[in-house]
Every structure is written in structure tokens, then in C-alpha cells.
């Protein structure tokens, strides 16, 4: 008797606790509902790495309220890496915030959480063609536009201008080739200083494959396709940079994606691949002049990928109309100019890109940015891309350091294609 | 005689005591309920849930489907999982003996008469155990990295480069073991210190008078007397070392290749990077069963070497 009383109490109590917890979560997802035109509070979830970044987003949120006084934005943020974990758990519990940030390469993973925006766009007169095509395409899911981009960036070569000068080398410019890159890297390398710093990320190898063979990580059917002769050749060439030509130091560990940036800024490596999103910060931090060059041209020309991020409206959102209005302001002219000027983003809205050059005195890199954007392909991925990234990075450390074969690297990576 | 009245009262009030007990039971239930609910919600429920989820294909987003034993079959045939099991055993076999020997050795050294302030040394050696693993790992990776502390020192003193500790399949696991020992010996050292203090001086003195040397006294008298503490330390250290995660994850991310992918690193990858919660739950249960079996064998085996009678 007593036992059953106890169990009953506990069951009821624990159920109450669980229900209360669930109810609390689902309640705040859509924000307060209201008829069109009435006051609406929208949750906006976006990553940010510092208070400066967070404040920039808060300013963008204010811009939304300025244009649509009935819309209030409640901003939520976490650092970039936690962002995707939190987004996943929120999606699992059906409590995704109304407006979320999305990176192009994650679109296949999260695209099904988002509302297609095409109808909203045509009604509101928002034209996809006003934005950089590679990133508008990158933010599509199932052929539908699920997010509108605020920034874009092609992967380019960062180089240490002072080191090139000291070595008496001609600075890399639009039109330089892989052979010239190799010659420069060799001339610059004097351990413990290196001409180049290799990275174990698959995204750092992709531009080399693109430039030598024109192949991306996916085939025409959108399936992962990396275990092929073209990828083999480029991966072997890249491995040789570390273990044969020794123009790049060994990869320090499988968990050191920041090592490359740190070592470049510390002046221990004179070239590395990076995106314009890091340029302004790098110029502030480095004690030398930082220049950028397009990918060195291989047999297939100078090709790179470009990725970017944007904002979309989630299916959980109870006020999709207002949410779209908010998004249209977040990627609109005022916000883009502000973000460009502040150096927070290289604007995806083409008409506002000059703000990035003028606001940050980066006019010198415009020819390179133009060339790189011209030759960039979208960073297309598959839903299991995180498995590809993780598996590649771990094995690449061993392979690049001479403790594993390129066959292993590419066959293990290919196995993550699902 | 003084005991008698108490017995009488106890017998006389049996009926009352029964009712009283009933009342206590209710009060006890009331007081226990909050923590019981916590235990149910945060321990019992997840354990049962993980057992169930293990039989499903359970992505975080999207529908889950019952797949029976498929997750366990996948694990049985997965080369990476076999490597993860092997890596875990390698870690345990390197870490456990070293940890016990070092912590016992330090405890004996601190307990010896030549040490003036044993408390100070105990505190110093215990500090690594209370500092956050992630911070320790971050510092170790700076020390171990190329151009890091060890590499720089070796280049200055000997003119040779140190191995690329964390980027080499040969050195990565020893580096993880090294960090774990540095981090973990303090706790066992305290356990052993307490056990050594409890060894009656009369016994060692008697042995000394009988002509036993330092070594003989330690191995014949002290060591057998502290075997319960050693058993306790071995069981707990073994369980925690099977669950090694943070050190490997922060230092090497489980790489290079799969050189430091232990079972829990594998679980984390599958569950929280690839979002295959069903497979990750199955890994957790395989790990649980391995630990359970080994711990049972330890309890059976203790009869041969643990002396509880003093």
C-alpha cells in the first residue's frame, strides 16, 4: 500500500515537473503572438565571439525596430561552436527561435528547419540578384531560398608583406601560380620560420583541388566525391608541403585549427589561407603588414570557394510575416553598410560592399577580392558534413605529418558521405 | 543492569513504536522526495532512456525509428569502435599502474620522517586535482606543441627538435596519459596518505626490533595493511580511467587519425557531433558492461590480496 502511494506521488510529481519544463520551453518559441501590425516580440538567435560583435548585432536589432516599430527583437547569442549544438537541441525540442543565423555550408544540415522565403521575397520586392550569387545559392535548401545572406567571403591567401620584402620576393598578386607559390614558400622557409602553414581542415584543401582540377567535394549529383584521382593528386601535393618540401611545419594536433592563425600573426609562418572576415582583425593584431592574394592558379586556374552567412525564419515561428520583415532589415542596405563599415562583415549586398573598403581602409585589396569572388564557387555540402569535417581533420594530421597515407585519408573521409 | 529498563520500554511500546515508525516514514518520504525527484529525473530517467534510445535510430532532428540491435551490430563491425576500445584499454593499462605507483610513492615519501611539513606537500601535490582539466590541457598543449616549451628547451640545450607530441600517432597517447597522471595522482595520494597514517607505529617498530629493514618493513608490514586503501583506489581509478574523455578531447581531439579516440571520445563524436544518439547510447552501454564486468572480477579477486583484518 505504502509503496504504491509513494510511486503514485512520485510519478505525478515528476510528470508535473517534466510537463512544466516542456511547457516553459515551447511557450517562448514564437514570441508573443499578435495580429498583423500589433506589437510582436521576435527571438533572434545568432553567434558572436565578443562583446563588440554582440553590440553590432544589437544595433542591427535596433534598426529593425526603427523600421518596424511594432517588432521588438530579443537577441540571444552563444559562441560559434556552441551555437550549432544549442540550435540542434532547440530544434529537437521544437523551440527554435523565430530568426536564426545560418552558415552556407550548414544549410543542408539545418535547411529543413527554415521556411522557404521565395514568396515573401517576391511580395516584398527583395531581389536575390542584389546579393552575391555564390552565397545566395549557398543558402538554398531543396532549391528554395531559406535564408538571406549578410556576408560573404572567398578563401584567399594571407601573406606577410614584410617577409616578402625582406626576402626580396615579388609580392603575390592576381595571376600568380602554384609554381610561384612553391618557389616563394621555399625561399621564405628558414625553420623555425616557415613559408606556409598547412591546416588539417578539409576546407583548407578544397581550393587547391578546385584550382588544380576544378573538382569540389561534391559531384554533379550533390554526393560526396573525394576518393578520386584529382583529390588524391592535390592531397598528395599538400602532404608534400609538410613532409617532403617542408615549407610548412608539422600539424601540431588534430585540435588546433587556431594554430595556423596564431602562428601567422606571431610571424612564424608567412602565408596561410583565410577569409576576408579575419582580415581587419589580423591587420589590427599583426606587427607586420598583412596582404592578401587570390588562390595561386593551378592547371584549372585560380579557383576558390566562398561561404557566408545569413538569416532565416524558422518553421516554429508563430509570426513568420514579421520575422521576414525583420530579416529583410537585417540584410538590408542600412544594416549591411553598418556591418561593412564596422568591419563586422564583408557585405553580401553588392551595392553596399564599398562600405567595407572605405570603413576599414582596405581599398588596396579590392582587386584581389573582386578576382577571388569572381572565381569562387559556393561551399556546397551534404547533411553529414560535420562527420566529413571531423574525420578528415583527425586523419589529415597523421597523413600530412607522414604517418598515414593519402589513401587512408580520402577513403575514410569518403565513408562519411552516407 | 542499566541496560534492562531500556529493553523493557522497547518491548512495552512495540505497538506505539510501530505507529510512530509509520509517521516517520511519511516525514522521511517528504524530506526525501526532492532529492528522489532529482535522482529520478537526472539519473534514473536518463539511464533508462539511454537503454531504450540504444535500440533506435535516433537523430536529434527528425523521426526516430526502432532498429532493434542494429546499433550494437554496427559497433561490433565498426573498425573505429574496435580502435576506440583498444585505445581505452591501452590508456587504462598505462595510466592505472603509473597512477597508483606514483601516488603511493609520493604518499610514502611525504609520510617519511625526513619531511618537515607534510601538509604543505600534500596541498601542493593536490593542486592539479582541483584545477580544471580543460585549463590544464590547454597549458599542456602549449608545452607540448612544436616551438612549445619542451621543443624550445631541447633545441637550445641539445640542438634537436622534440617530437611533435600531439601531432604524432606514436606520442599522442603517451601525452594524454602524462597529462592524466599529472592531473589525477593527487587524489589517490591523499587516500594513501590517510591509510599510511593509520598504520600502527607499534607494528613497524616491533618489526624493526626483530631486524626487518626499511624495505622489508614496507613490503611485509605497511603494504599489506594498506591493501584496502589500494583496492579502493584501484577500483575507482579504473572506473574513471575507462571514462577518459576531456584530456584526449582537448589535447588531441581524438587524433591524429584515431590514435587517441577512446570510447567516450567516440561516444561524444557520434552523439554530439554527428547527432547519432542511438549509436552513442549503445556505446555507453557497452562501456558500462565492460566496467561492470571488470569491477566484479576485481571484487572477486580482492579476496586473494586485500587484508581487512588489522
Amino acid at each position: 500500500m505504502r509503496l504504491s502511494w509513494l510511486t503514485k506521488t512520485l510519478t505525478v510529481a515528476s510528470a508535473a515537473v517534466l510537463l512544466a519544463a516542456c511547457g516553459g520551453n515551447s511557450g517562448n518559441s514564437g514570441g508573443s503572438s499578435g495580429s498583423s501590425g500589433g506589437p510582436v516580440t521576435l527571438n533572434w538567435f545568432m553567434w558572436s565571439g565578443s562583446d563588440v560583435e554582440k553590440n553590432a548585432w544589437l544595433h542591427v536589432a535596433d534598426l529593425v525596430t526603427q523600421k518596424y516599430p511594432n517588432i521588438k527583437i530579443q537577441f540571444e547569442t552563444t559562441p560559434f561552436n556552441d551555437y550549432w549544438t544549442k540550435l540542434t537541441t532547440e530544434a529537437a525540442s521544437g523551440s527554435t527561435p523565430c530568426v536564426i543565423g545560418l552558415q552556407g555550408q550548414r544549410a543542408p544540415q539545418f535547411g529543413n528547419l527554415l521556411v522557404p522565403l521565395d514568396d515573401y521575397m517576391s511580395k516584398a520586392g527583395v531581389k536575390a540578384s542584389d546579393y552575391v550569387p555564390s552565397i545566395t545559392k549557398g543558402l538554398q535548401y531543396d532549391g528554395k531560398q531559406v535564408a538571406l545572406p549578410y556576408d560573404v567571403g572567398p578563401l584567399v591567401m594571407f601573406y606577410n608583406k614584410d617577409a616578402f620584402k625582406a626576402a626580396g620576393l615579388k609580392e603575390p598578386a592576381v595571376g600568380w601560380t602554384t609554381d610561384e607559390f612553391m618557389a616563394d614558400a621555399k625561399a621564405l622557409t628558414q625553420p623555425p620560420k616557415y613559408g606556409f602553414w598547412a591546416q588539417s581542415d578539409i576546407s583548407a584543401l578544397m581550393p587547391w583541388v578546385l584550382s588544380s582540377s576544378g573538382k569540389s567535394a561534391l559531384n554533379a549529383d550533390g554526393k560526396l566525391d573525394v576518393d578520386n584521382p584529382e583529390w588524391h593528386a592535390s592531397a598528395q601535393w599538400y602532404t608534400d608541403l609538410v613532409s617532403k618540401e617542408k615549407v610548412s611545419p608539422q600539424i601540431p594536433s588534430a585540435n588546433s585549427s587556431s594554430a595556423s592563425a596564431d602562428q601567422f600573426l606571431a610571424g612564424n609562418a608567412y602565408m596561410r589561407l583565410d577569409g576576408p572576415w579575419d582580415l581587419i582583425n589580423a591587420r589590427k593584431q599583426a606587427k607586420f603588414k598583412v596582404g592578401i592574394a587570390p588562390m595561386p592558379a593551378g592547371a584549372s586556374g585560380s579557383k576558390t570557394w566562398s561561404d557566408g552567412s545569413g538569416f532565416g525564419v524558422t518553421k516554429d515561428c508563430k509570426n513568420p510575416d514579421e520575422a521576414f520583415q525583420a530579416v529583410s532589415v537585417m540584410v538590408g542596405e542600412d544594416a549591411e553598410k553598418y556591418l561593412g563599415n564596422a568591419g563586422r562583415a564583408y557585405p553580401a549586398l553588392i551595392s553596399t560592399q564599398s562600405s567595407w573598403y572605405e570603413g576599414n581602409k582596405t581599398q588596396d585589396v579590392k582587386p584581389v577580392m573582386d578576382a577571388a569572388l569572381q572565381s569562387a564557387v559556393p561551399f556546397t555540402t551534404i547533411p553529414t558534413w560535420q562527420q566529413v569535417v571531423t574525420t578528415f581533420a583527425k586523419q589529415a594530421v597523421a597523413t600530412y605529418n607522414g604517418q598515414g597515407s593519402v589513401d587512408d585519408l580520402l577513403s575514410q573521409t569518403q565513408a562519411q558521405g552516407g | 543492569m542499566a541496560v534492562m529498563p531500556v529493553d523493557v520500554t522497547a518491548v512495552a511500546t512495540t505497538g506505539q513504536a510501530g505507529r510512530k515508525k509509520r509517521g516517520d516514514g511519511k516525514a522521511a518520504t517528504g524530506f526525501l522526495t526532492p532529492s528522489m525527484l532529482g535522482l529520478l529525473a537526472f539519473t534514473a530517467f536518463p539511464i533508462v532512456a539511454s537503454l531504450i534510445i540504444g535500440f533506435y535510430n535516433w537523430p536529434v532532428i527528425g523521426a526516430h525509428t526502432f532498429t532493434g540491435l542494429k546499433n550494437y551490430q554496427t559497433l561490433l563491425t565498426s573498425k573505429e569502435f574496435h580502435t576506440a576500445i583498444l585505445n581505452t584499454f591501452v590508456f587504462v593499462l598505462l595510466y592505472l599502474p603509473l597512477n597508483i605507483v606514483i601516488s603511493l610513492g609520493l604518499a610514502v615519501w611525504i609520510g617519511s620522517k625526513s619531511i618537515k611539513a607534510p601538509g604543505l606537500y600534500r596541498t601542493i601535490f593536490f593542486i592539479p586535482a582541483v584545477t580544471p582539466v580543460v585549463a590544464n590541457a590547454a597549458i599542456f598543449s602549449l608545452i607540448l606543441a612544436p616551438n612549445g616549451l619542451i621543443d624550445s628547451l631541447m633545441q637550445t640545450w641539445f640542438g634537436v627538435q622534440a617530437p611533435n607530441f600531439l601531432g604524432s600517432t606514436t606520442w599522442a597517447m603517451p601525452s594524454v596519459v602524462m597529462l592524466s597522471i599529472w592531473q589525477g595522482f593527487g587524489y589517490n595520494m591523499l587516500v594513501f596518505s590517510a591509510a599510511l597514517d593509520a598504520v600502527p607505529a607499534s607494528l613497524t617498530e616491533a618489526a624493526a626490533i626483530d631486524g626487518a629493514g626499511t624495505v622489508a618493513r614496507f613490503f611485509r608490514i605497511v603494504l599489506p595493511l594498506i591493501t584496502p586503501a589500494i583496492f579502493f583506489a584501484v577500483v575507482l581509478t579504473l572506473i574513471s580511467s575507462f571514462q577518459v574523455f576531456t584530456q584526449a578531447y582537448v589535447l588531441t581531439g581524438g587524433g591524429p587519425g584515431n590514435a587517441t579516440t577512446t570510447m567516450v571520445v567516440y561516444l561524444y563524436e557520434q552523439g554530439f557531433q554527428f547527432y547519432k544518439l542511438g549509436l552513442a547510447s549503445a556505446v555507453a552501454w557497452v562501456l558500462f558492461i565492460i566496467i561492470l564486468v571488470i569491477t566484479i572480477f576485481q571484487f572477486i579477486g580482492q579476496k586473494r590480496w586485500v587484508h581487512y583484518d588489522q
Side-chain angles (χ1 to χ4, degrees):
Chain A
M1 278 294 278
R2 232 192 310 167
L3 188 68
S4 75
W5 171 82
L6 182 71
T7 9
K8 260 184 219 162
T9 321
L10 288 179
T11 317
V12 171
S14 57
V17 168
L18 289 175
L19 284 175
C22 295
N25 270 343
S26 56
N28 63 18
S29 65
S32 65
S33 58
S35 59
S36 187
V40 170
T41 304
L42 299 174
N43 293 18
W44 175 25
F45 188 35
M46 176 61 191
W47 63 84
S48 59
S50 64
D51 279 349
V52 184
E53 270 180 62
K54 189 185 163 189
N55 291 334
W57 294 126
L58 288 174
H59 179 84
V60 171
D62 288 343
L63 291 177
V64 174
T65 312
Q66 272 171 34
K67 177 139 190 215
Y68 298 103
N70 62 321
I71 302 178
K72 270 224 178 82
I73 302 282
Q74 195 169 351
F75 184 67
E76 300 163 21
T77 188
T78 67
F80 184 79
N81 284 332
D82 304 336
Y83 177 86
W84 306 103
T85 316
K86 193 164 178 222
L87 185 60
T88 308
T89 34
E90 286 187 330
S93 61
S95 63
T96 338
C98 251
V99 177
I100 59 167
L102 180 68
Q103 198 192 15
Q105 58 179 289
R106 313 247 180 181
Q109 199 185 339
F110 293 102
N112 61 346
L113 299 179
L114 296 166
V115 180
L117 299 177
D118 305 69
D119 292 346
Y120 290 100
M121 285 165 65
S122 54
K123 254 188 249 167
V126 176
K127 278 197 243 106
S129 56
D130 289 343
Y131 294 86
V132 174
S134 68
I135 182 58
T136 14
K137 184 153 186 286
L139 290 172
Q140 286 172 357
Y141 179 79
D142 252 358
K144 299 265 172 33
Q145 199 69 43
V146 291
L148 284 171
Y150 74 87
D151 86 333
V152 65
L155 207 62
V156 292
M157 186 72 76
F158 280 35
Y159 67 91
N160 183 325
K161 285 191 172 215
D162 298 5
F164 270 78
K165 210 179 210 175
L169 295 168
K170 195 174 123 249
E171 284 188 31
V174 177
W176 75 317
T177 64
T178 313
D179 292 341
E180 287 173 296
F181 161 80
M182 187 66 104
D184 289 347
K186 279 182 183 165
L188 289 166
T189 299
Q190 268 171 345
K193 312 273 185 186
Y194 289 88
F196 182 67
W197 193 290
Q199 285 163 268
S200 57
D201 314 63
I202 190 169
S203 58
L205 177 61
M206 276 159 68
W208 299 101
V209 187
L210 279 166
S211 295
S212 85
S213 67
K215 283 219 170 206
S216 83
L218 310 190
N219 63 17
D221 302 330
K223 295 270 188 308
L224 187 73
D225 184 13
V226 295
D227 199 1
N228 55 44
E230 290 82 3
W231 270 78
H232 266 260
S234 291
Q236 187 61 56
W237 179 86
Y238 198 83
T239 304
D240 288 347
L241 292 178
V242 180
S243 37
K244 198 171 137 206
E245 310 289 351
K246 299 196 196 300
V247 295
S248 164
Q250 293 219 322
I251 311 281
S253 87
N255 220 11
S256 59
S257 50
S258 60
S260 167
D262 296 344
Q263 297 295 329
F264 176 77
L265 289 176
N268 293 330
Y270 299 131
M271 287 187 275
R272 75 176 293 251
L273 289 183
D274 204 338
W277 55 84
D278 274 336
L279 181 64
I280 287 150
N281 205 19
R283 284 192 164 174
K284 263 185 209 149
Q285 285 187 23
K287 294 194 179 71
F288 51 86
K289 288 204 180 78
V290 179
I292 65 168
M295 274 301 293
S300 185
S302 164
K303 290 213 176 95
T304 190
W305 54 258
S306 88
D307 198 11
S309 306
F311 303 113
V313 177
T314 58
K315 287 177 179 163
D316 288 340
C317 185
K318 293 196 182 75
N319 307 94
D321 294 337
E322 284 83 356
F324 177 76
Q325 288 177 332
V327 169
S328 67
V329 176
M330 289 169 185
V331 300
E333 202 183 327
D334 291 346
E336 285 284 77
K337 270 189 187 159
Y338 165 76
L339 291 171
N341 254 315
R344 296 262 60 88
Y346 182 81
L349 185 61
I350 299 166
S351 62
T352 59
Q353 284 174 347
S354 56
S355 64
W356 187 78
Y357 297 111
E358 285 152 17
N360 304 287
K361 301 199 174 61
T362 45
Q363 285 94 341
D364 58 306
V365 301
K366 188 157 191 305
V368 175
M369 286 294 292
D370 288 344
L373 278 170
Q374 200 68 47
S375 61
V377 298
F379 195 124
T380 45
T381 61
I382 52 171
T384 56
W385 186 247
Q386 284 317 303
Q387 280 173 240
V388 173
V389 169
T390 307
T391 308
F392 185 94
K394 279 164 68 176
Q395 184 55 40
V397 178
T399 298
Y400 293 170
N401 287 349
Q403 288 189 309
S405 68
V406 169
D407 288 346
D408 286 345
L409 174 63
L410 295 178
S411 64
Q412 286 178 20
T413 309
Q414 182 62 44
Q416 307 304 318
Chain B
M1 285 310 278
V3 177
M4 275 305 284
V6 177
D7 280 358
V8 169
T9 345
V11 172
T13 56
T14 311
Q16 256 183 334
R19 239 178 292 148
K20 219 178 176 184
K21 247 187 191 165
R22 231 181 150 78
D24 283 352
K26 263 183 197 165
T29 314
F31 283 117
L32 276 175
T33 307
S35 48
M36 271 298 263
L37 282 178
L39 187 76
L40 282 175
F42 299 112
T43 306
F45 174 73
I47 289 175
V48 176
S50 79
L51 182 62
I52 297 168
I53 291 174
F55 296 110
Y56 280 80
N57 171 21
W58 196 298
V60 178
I61 307 173
H64 26 258
T65 43
F66 183 77
T67 51
L69 288 168
K70 188 157 170 287
N71 286 328
Y72 291 92
Q73 282 170 352
T74 311
L75 290 181
L76 272 180
T77 53
S78 156
K79 234 178 94 187
E80 286 103 71
F81 186 61
H82 296 166
T83 314
I85 294 183
L86 189 69
N87 286 339
T88 310
F89 275 93
V90 168
F91 177 85
V92 172
L93 287 178
L94 287 173
Y95 172 75
L96 182 69
L98 280 171
N99 177 306
I100 299 293
V101 168
I102 290 173
S103 51
L104 183 57
L106 279 170
V108 169
W109 177 67
I110 289 171
S112 68
K113 290 195 181 72
S114 58
I115 298 297
K116 291 281 180 297
L120 178 71
Y121 285 95
R122 265 176 219 154
T123 312
I124 291 175
F125 287 128
F126 194 63
I127 286 174
V130 292
T131 49
V133 195
V134 176
N136 293 340
I139 289 169
F140 262 71
S141 50
L142 290 179
I143 295 174
L144 295 169
N147 287 332
L149 183 68
I150 294 180
D151 191 23
S152 311
L153 288 179
M154 279 185 75
Q155 292 197 18
T156 330
W157 292 345
F158 310 112
V160 287
Q161 275 197 316
N164 180 6
F165 291 104
L166 303 176
S168 145
T169 46
T170 338
W171 285 100
M173 186 54 97
S175 306
V176 172
V177 172
M178 198 176 78
L179 167 63
S180 307
I181 288 173
W182 184 82
Q183 169 92 40
F185 75 83
Y187 182 76
N188 284 343
M189 182 200 69
L190 278 196
V191 172
F192 292 143
S193 274
L196 287 170
D197 285 349
V199 172
S202 55
L203 286 181
T204 42
E205 273 162 25
I209 291 165
D210 287 349
T214 322
V215 176
R217 279 203 306 268
F218 178 72
F219 283 104
R220 298 282 170 83
I221 311 284
V222 177
L223 205 57
L225 283 175
I226 63 165
T227 43
I230 297 179
F231 176 67
F232 169 79
V234 167
V235 170
L236 286 196
T237 311
L238 190 113
I239 291 174
S240 67
S241 59
F242 266 102
Q243 297 170 348
V244 57
F245 168 72
T246 323
Q247 300 92 315
Y249 186 71
V250 180
L251 271 187
T252 58
N258 283 321
T260 54
T261 303
T262 60
M263 288 174 77
V264 182
V265 172
Y266 183 82
L267 184 157
Y268 177 82
E269 263 181 15
Q270 298 299 326
F272 300 102
Q273 291 186 307
F274 306 167
Y275 301 117
K276 296 178 183 170
L277 292 189
L279 194 66
S281 298
V283 175
W285 278 88
V286 172
L287 178 63
F288 169 70
I289 287 164
I290 291 178
I291 294 177
L292 183 72
V293 167
I294 291 178
T295 308
I296 288 173
F297 273 107
Q298 279 184 292
F299 271 89
I300 295 170
Q302 66 164 323
K303 292 188 192 104
R304 296 169 165 273
W305 63 278
V306 183
H307 309 279
Y308 285 105
D309 47 343
Q310 285 201 355

